[in-house]
């Protein structure tokens, strides 16, 4: 009789884990969906200005959705973040080239700053996940400097782990040299 209850408890526990997993997956899907919905105005502007075609927008949404699911899974790896950042930087360059070719200036609702902001958002999530990864912090600092994102750069320095104090000092010296 005791074995019956033990085995039944084990079955219930596996059922509860299954529902918990389903809830986690539903939360993840909702979070990804909400993030993708925030991008809709930007994507519509790309299409309206002729920067991206409808098919390219669909491909972009699919690719970003795939990346977001990879980042939100429990065992997201640093390489997943790196690939997403590389993809977004490449996309940003493509968009810049097309804006230049079409003669569209920055600030006309063509997504220049939203791409940079999105890349910073990915870096932010990466350093939250991999707090002690100095190389990741350095990559973010280098990107922020390359985009002249001084406000973001100051926030990065403020948030960097204490062990990176020397890094802050060196990076500030480099920033002064480049100015």
């Amino acid at each position: 009789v005791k074995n019956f209850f033990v085995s039944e408890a084990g079955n219930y526990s596996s059922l509860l884990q299954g529902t918990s997993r389903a809830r986690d997956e539903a939360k993840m899907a909702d979070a990804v969906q909400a993030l993708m919905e925030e991008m809709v105005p930007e994507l519509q502007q790309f299409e309206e200005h002729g920067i991206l075609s409808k098919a390219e927008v669909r491909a972009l949404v699919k690719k970003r959705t795939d990346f977001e699911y990879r980042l939100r899974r429990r065992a997201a790896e640093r390489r997943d973040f790196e690939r997403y950042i590389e993809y977004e930087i490449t996309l940003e360059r493509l968009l810049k080239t097309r804006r230049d070719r079409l003669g569209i200036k920055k600030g006309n609702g063509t997504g220049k700053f939203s791409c940079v902001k999105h890349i910073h958002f990915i870096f932010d999530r990466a350093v939250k996940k991999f707090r002690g990864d100095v190389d990741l912090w350095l990559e973010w600092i280098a990107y922020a400097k390359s985009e002249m994102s001084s406000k973001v750069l100051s926030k990065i320095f403020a948030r960097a782990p204490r062990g990176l104090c020397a890094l802050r000092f060196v990076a500030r010296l480099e920033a002064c040299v480049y100015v």
Side-chain angles (χ1 to χ4, degrees), residues 35 42 53:
L35 188 61
E42 170 193 7
S53 69

Side-chain angles (χ1 to χ4, degrees), residues 37-51:
E37 286 174 2
E38 288 177 14
M39 297 178 193
V40 168
E42 170 193 7
L43 298 174
Q44 286 175 338
Q45 288 174 352
F46 290 151
E47 196 175 329
E48 288 171 6
H49 286 90
I51 297 171

Side-chain angles (χ1 to χ4, degrees), residues 35-54 56-62 64-65 87-88 91 95 109-111 114-115:
L35 188 61
M36 298 311 294
E37 286 174 2
E38 288 177 14
M39 297 178 193
V40 168
E42 170 193 7
L43 298 174
Q44 286 175 338
Q45 288 174 352
F46 290 151
E47 196 175 329
E48 288 171 6
H49 286 90
I51 297 171
L52 294 176
S53 69
K54 192 170 225 156
E56 289 172 325
V57 169
R58 279 193 200 115
L60 173 61
V61 168
K62 181 175 178 358
R64 281 183 172 176
T65 303
Y87 174 78
E88 288 294 327
L91 173 66
L95 295 174
T110 56
S114 61
C115 287

Side-chain angles (χ1 to χ4, degrees), residues 92 106 112-121 123 139-158 175 179:
E92 180 188 349
K106 293 180 190 177
K112 159 64 176 153
F113 299 110
S114 61
C115 287
V116 173
K117 186 178 175 183
H118 189 67
I119 293 168
H120 284 304
F121 177 61
F123 267 118
E139 287 174 29
W140 193 11
I141 290 169
Y143 178 74
K145 284 168 60 174
S146 73
E147 290 298 323
M148 295 182 218
S149 303
S150 57
K151 288 182 182 178
V152 174
L153 197 55
S154 66
K155 288 178 183 178
I156 294 169
F157 289 142
V179 174

Side-chain angles (χ1 to χ4, degrees), residues 8-155:
E8 284 300 311
N11 289 341
Y12 287 132
S13 131
S14 66
L15 285 174
L16 291 176
Q17 286 176 347
T19 57
S20 174
R21 188 175 302 130
R23 271 190 306 237
D24 289 347
E25 289 174 5
K27 284 181 186 177
M28 180 172 46
D30 289 344
V32 170
Q33 182 67 29
L35 188 61
M36 298 311 294
E37 286 174 2
E38 288 177 14
M39 297 178 193
V40 168
E42 170 193 7
L43 298 174
Q44 286 175 338
Q45 288 174 352
F46 290 151
E47 196 175 329
E48 288 171 6
H49 286 90
I51 297 171
L52 294 176
S53 69
K54 192 170 225 156
E56 289 172 325
V57 169
R58 279 193 200 115
L60 173 61
V61 168
K62 181 175 178 358
K63 193 78 168 166
R64 281 183 172 176
T65 303
D66 291 344
F67 277 122
E68 287 298 330
Y69 274 110
R70 284 187 203 147
L71 298 189
R72 291 184 185 273
R73 67 180 180 206
R74 288 179 195 235
E77 299 174 3
R78 184 182 191 273
R79 187 69 190 135
D80 295 329
F81 286 94
E82 290 172 343
R83 286 184 185 129
Y84 196 7
I85 291 167
E86 289 170 16
Y87 174 78
E88 288 294 327
I89 289 172
T90 304
L91 173 66
E92 180 188 349
R93 288 184 190 139
L94 171 71
L95 295 174
K96 181 188 181 316
T97 303
R98 290 193 180 177
R99 277 191 303 267
D100 291 346
R101 189 182 71 216
L102 295 169
I104 299 171
K105 296 182 182 184
K106 293 180 190 177
N108 288 347
T110 56
K112 159 64 176 153
F113 299 110
S114 61
C115 287
V116 173
K117 186 178 175 183
H118 189 67
I119 293 168
H120 284 304
F121 177 61
I122 299 166
F123 267 118
D124 183 52
R125 292 188 298 172
V127 297
K128 283 179 184 173
K129 178 115 176 131
F130 305 101
R131 292 185 203 283
D133 192 335
V134 176
D135 291 334
L136 193 57
W137 284 96
L138 288 172
E139 287 174 29
W140 193 11
I141 290 169
Y143 178 74
K145 284 168 60 174
S146 73
E147 290 298 323
M148 295 182 218
S149 303
S150 57
K151 288 182 182 178
V152 174
L153 197 55
S154 66
K155 288 178 183 178

